[in-house]
């Protein structure tokens, strides 16, 4: 629970080693004409990049929390999806899934060539997890009334859209400056499931919708060719972490409900044995396993054989240049690869020369819109889209959870619970 600053004067500032607003020492918290008053502390969990040297990658801190904004809300966090955001890479939000292949850029145990930023034993502040959050409204701003409350009320179960400059969600309280970012969830939707929706599932939905748009444009161009117009478009989804598992489920529903399954075939390229099993549960998709023990030409040939030739669109949820390079080789001459904006910022410069020599395209995909998040909540609540497998853990077990994620010991997604309300 939040506590008054005057009651925790003994809290040491030595834990605040990162020059970030969320980690400002108590002695430097300031006010400007009374517009920003931080008169309480709340507990926050910081999860660092795991590494072979520093085994303890989870730290607990007391951090100052702002008063409720006049037209905003303060959310009491109940559940948060286990995800990372690299602040030194991008201002976008993306959920890193529970499958170790998706953690290759963050876990030294998965990618030995990637050094852990925690290797020197110093707290590293670039990872502030918890952008997939669900909770209850603790308070509303003093200027919120019946005319502008967006139908929200204190005690209501909600999730938070990942707005710009969103603070870390692995804290007891989360301040939201505008009520439009607060999305109510139905009482019958488990709050642990709702916590997976704001970033990972939303990004997957936006990627599927963009892939559909790309296919429609391709079909328009093919309409003049009698032979090509009869061919189905082929979509390859790469990865079987949380993002890919959501994408497969969303694609199955969306293409069936729009009739697009009549002209689109979906294949999943699984990166892990565990992911292969989960992906095969979807009857409407084909699955090909990307066994890293094989040579690249073998994997590309295996994929094209499964798909019936080069694919038209790849939704690549991998995080490495190797994965993207393989996706491009599985692609048709005028095909398109969709990757998240955060990954694109790092990988696009490496492929700019290659793309200039071909007609292929790489398109970055943003997280998704607020309207899409409202639609996603309704679809999951109505069980039209089933969530991928997930496991819920007490936040006190965060350290063990991270190690299990890196070792691919948790199927699907991992959710941390901060308090019980159900």
């Amino acid at each position: 629970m939040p506590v008054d600053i005057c009651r925790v004067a003994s809290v040491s500032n030595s834990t605040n080693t990162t020059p970030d607003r969320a980690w400002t020492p108590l002695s430097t918290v300031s006010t400007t004409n009374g517009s920003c008053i931080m008169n309480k502390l709340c507990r926050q969990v910081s999860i660092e990049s795991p590494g072979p040297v520093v085994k303890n990658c989870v730290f607990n801190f007391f951090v100052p929390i702002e008063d409720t904004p006049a037209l905003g809300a303060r959310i009491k966090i109940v559940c948060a999806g286990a995800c990372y955001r690299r602040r030194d890479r991008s201002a976008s939000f993306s959920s890193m899934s529970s499958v170790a292949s998706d953690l290759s850029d963050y876990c030294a145990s998965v990618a030995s060539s990637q050094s852990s930023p925690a290797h020197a034993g110093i707290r590293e502040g670039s990872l502030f997890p918890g952008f997939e959050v669900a909770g209850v409204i603790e308070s509303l701003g003093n200027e919120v009334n019946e005319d502008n409350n967006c139908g929200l009320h204190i005690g209501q179960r909600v999730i938070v859209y990942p707005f710009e400059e969103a603070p870390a969600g692995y804290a007891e309280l989360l301040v939201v400056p505008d009520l439009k970012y607060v999305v109510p969830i139905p009482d019958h939707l488990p709050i642990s499931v709702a916590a997976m929706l704001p970033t990972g599932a939303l990004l997957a939905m936006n990627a599927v919708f963009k892939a559909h748009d790309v296919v429609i444009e391709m079909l328009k161009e093919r309409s003049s060719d009698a032979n090509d117009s009869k061919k189905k478009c082929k979509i390859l989804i790469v990865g079987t972490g949380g993002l890919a598992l959501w994408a497969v489920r969303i694609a199955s529903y969306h293409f069936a409900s729009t009739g697009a399954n009549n002209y689109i075939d979906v294949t999943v390229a699984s990166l892990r044995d565990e992911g292969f099993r989960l992906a095969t549960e979807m009857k409407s998709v084909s699955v090909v396993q990307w066994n890293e023990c094989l040579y690249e030409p073998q994997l590309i040939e295996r994929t094209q054989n499964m798909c019936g030739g080069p694919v038209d669109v790849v939704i690549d949820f991998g995080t490495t240049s190797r994965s993207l390079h393989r996706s491009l080789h599985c692609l048709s001459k005028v095909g398109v690869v969709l990757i998240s904006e955060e990954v694109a910022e790092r990988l696009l410069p490496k492929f700019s020369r290659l793309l200039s020599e071909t007609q292929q395209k790489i398109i970055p995909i943003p997280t998704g819109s607020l309207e899409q998040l409202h639609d996603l909540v309704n679809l999951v609540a109505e069980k039209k889209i089933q969530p991928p497998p997930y496991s819920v853990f007490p936040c006190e077990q965060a350290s063990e959870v991270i190690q299990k994620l890196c070792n691919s010991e948790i199927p699907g997604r991992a959710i941390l619970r901060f308090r019980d309300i159900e």
Side-chain angles (χ1 to χ4, degrees):
M1 295 296 293
V3 293
D4 293 337
I5 285 181
C6 61
R7 295 181 183 176
V8 290
S10 61
V11 175
S12 171
N13 290 335
S14 61
T15 58
N16 296 293
T17 60
T18 304
D20 186 273
R21 183 173 65 87
W23 299 99
T24 304
L26 298 180
S27 59
T28 65
V29 174
S30 61
T31 63
T32 303
N33 297 325
S35 61
C36 180
I37 302 175
M38 297 185 182
N39 59 2
K40 291 183 181 295
L41 293 174
C42 70
R43 183 168 60 95
Q44 178 169 313
V45 178
S46 174
I47 302 179
E48 297 181 14
S49 178
V53 177
V54 180
K55 295 182 179 180
N56 182 14
C57 58
V58 178
F59 299 85
N60 289 275
F61 297 87
F62 282 107
V63 296
I65 186 75
E66 295 180 22
D67 277 355
T68 308
L71 292 173
R74 205 159 62 177
I75 311 301
K76 186 183 298 183
I77 302 301
V78 176
C79 288
C83 57
Y84 292 99
R85 175 191 173 202
R86 289 296 299 264
R87 287 198 170 184
D88 57 339
R89 281 190 182 170
S90 172
S92 65
F93 302 88
S94 70
S95 167
M96 304 311 293
S97 80
S98 304
V99 177
S101 59
D102 286 352
L103 291 170
S104 58
D105 282 347
Y106 302 94
C107 301
S109 60
V110 177
S112 58
S113 62
Q114 179 77 22
S115 62
S116 169
H119 73 279
I122 300 175
R123 184 181 164 278
E124 198 274 335
S126 65
L127 299 178
F128 286 77
F131 293 95
E132 292 182 312
V133 297
V136 296
I137 298 177
E138 185 245 14
S139 61
L140 294 171
N142 55 21
E143 295 183 16
V144 175
N145 52 51
E146 293 184 359
D147 296 328
N148 62 8
N149 64 3
C150 300
L152 301 171
H153 57 81
I154 293 175
Q156 190 169 11
R157 301 161 76 250
V158 297
I159 57 178
V160 179
Y161 179 78
F163 56 93
E164 287 294 328
E165 304 302 326
Y170 281 0
E172 293 176 315
L173 294 172
L174 175 67
V175 173
V176 183
D178 193 320
L179 293 184
K180 69 179 182 181
Y181 300 124
V182 181
V183 179
I185 57 175
D187 291 337
H188 59 276
L189 178 62
I191 201 164
S192 53
V193 173
M196 295 188 282
L197 304 182
T199 53
L202 183 58
L203 173 61
M205 171 180 265
N206 199 32
V208 170
F209 286 5
K210 180 61 178 178
H212 193 185
D213 292 341
V214 170
V215 166
I216 290 174
E217 291 300 317
M218 287 182 173
L219 291 176
K220 289 180 180 178
E221 295 177 1
R222 291 180 182 179
S223 60
S224 59
D225 189 316
N227 293 325
D228 283 348
S229 63
K230 297 179 181 179
K231 295 180 180 178
K232 279 190 171 184
C233 281
K234 297 181 280 289
I235 295 178
L236 178 67
I237 299 175
V238 176
T240 39
L243 290 170
L245 290 174
W246 272 113
V248 171
R249 285 158 170 77
I250 293 169
S252 296
Y253 167 78
H254 177 69
F255 294 151
S257 63
T258 59
N261 56 349
N262 293 321
Y263 54 84
I264 292 177
D265 284 333
V266 177
T267 302
V268 177
S270 169
L271 303 174
R272 295 263 168 186
D273 292 339
E274 173 257 356
F276 183 83
R277 177 183 60 81
L278 294 177
T280 52
E281 295 175 0
M282 306 299 296
K283 298 180 180 179
S284 58
V285 301
S286 302
V287 183
V288 57
Q289 190 164 17
W290 278 7
N291 189 328
E292 297 298 331
C293 296
L294 298 179
Y295 292 109
E296 288 297 307
Q298 293 175 300
L299 291 173
I300 295 167
E301 181 182 8
R302 170 187 287 186
T303 304
Q304 292 189 354
N305 288 340
M306 176 63 70
C307 297
V311 300
D312 301 289
V313 180
V314 178
I315 303 175
D316 193 339
F317 291 119
T319 60
T320 65
S321 55
R322 182 181 183 186
S323 171
L324 183 53
H325 187 269
R326 187 183 302 158
S327 294
L328 289 169
H329 278 81
C330 294
L331 204 61
S332 65
K333 294 180 179 180
V334 293
V336 175
V337 178
L338 307 178
I339 60 177
S340 72
E341 280 187 342
E342 186 172 357
V343 174
E345 182 178 328
R346 175 169 53 88
L347 295 185
L348 276 181
K350 300 179 181 180
F351 290 86
S352 57
R353 182 176 179 180
L354 176 62
L355 292 175
S356 66
E357 300 172 353
T358 68
Q359 294 178 278
Q360 297 173 331
K361 296 180 181 178
I362 299 177
I363 300 178
I365 302 298
T367 299
S369 68
L370 187 56
E371 181 182 1
Q372 286 176 333
L373 182 56
H374 280 276
D375 292 341
L376 182 60
V377 168
N378 292 331
L379 290 171
V380 176
E382 295 169 5
K383 298 185 178 181
K384 294 180 178 179
I385 296 176
Q386 295 292 332
Y390 67 94
S391 302
V392 182
F393 303 88
C395 65
E396 292 78 12
Q397 296 181 13
S399 182
E400 294 89 336
V401 169
I402 296 302
Q403 291 301 322
K404 288 181 178 180
L405 294 184
C406 289
N407 294 327
S408 293
E409 296 175 4
I410 299 176
R413 291 301 315 276
I415 309 295
L416 295 182
R417 180 179 288 274
F418 283 76
R419 52 175 56 84
D420 289 319
I421 63 167
E422 299 174 323

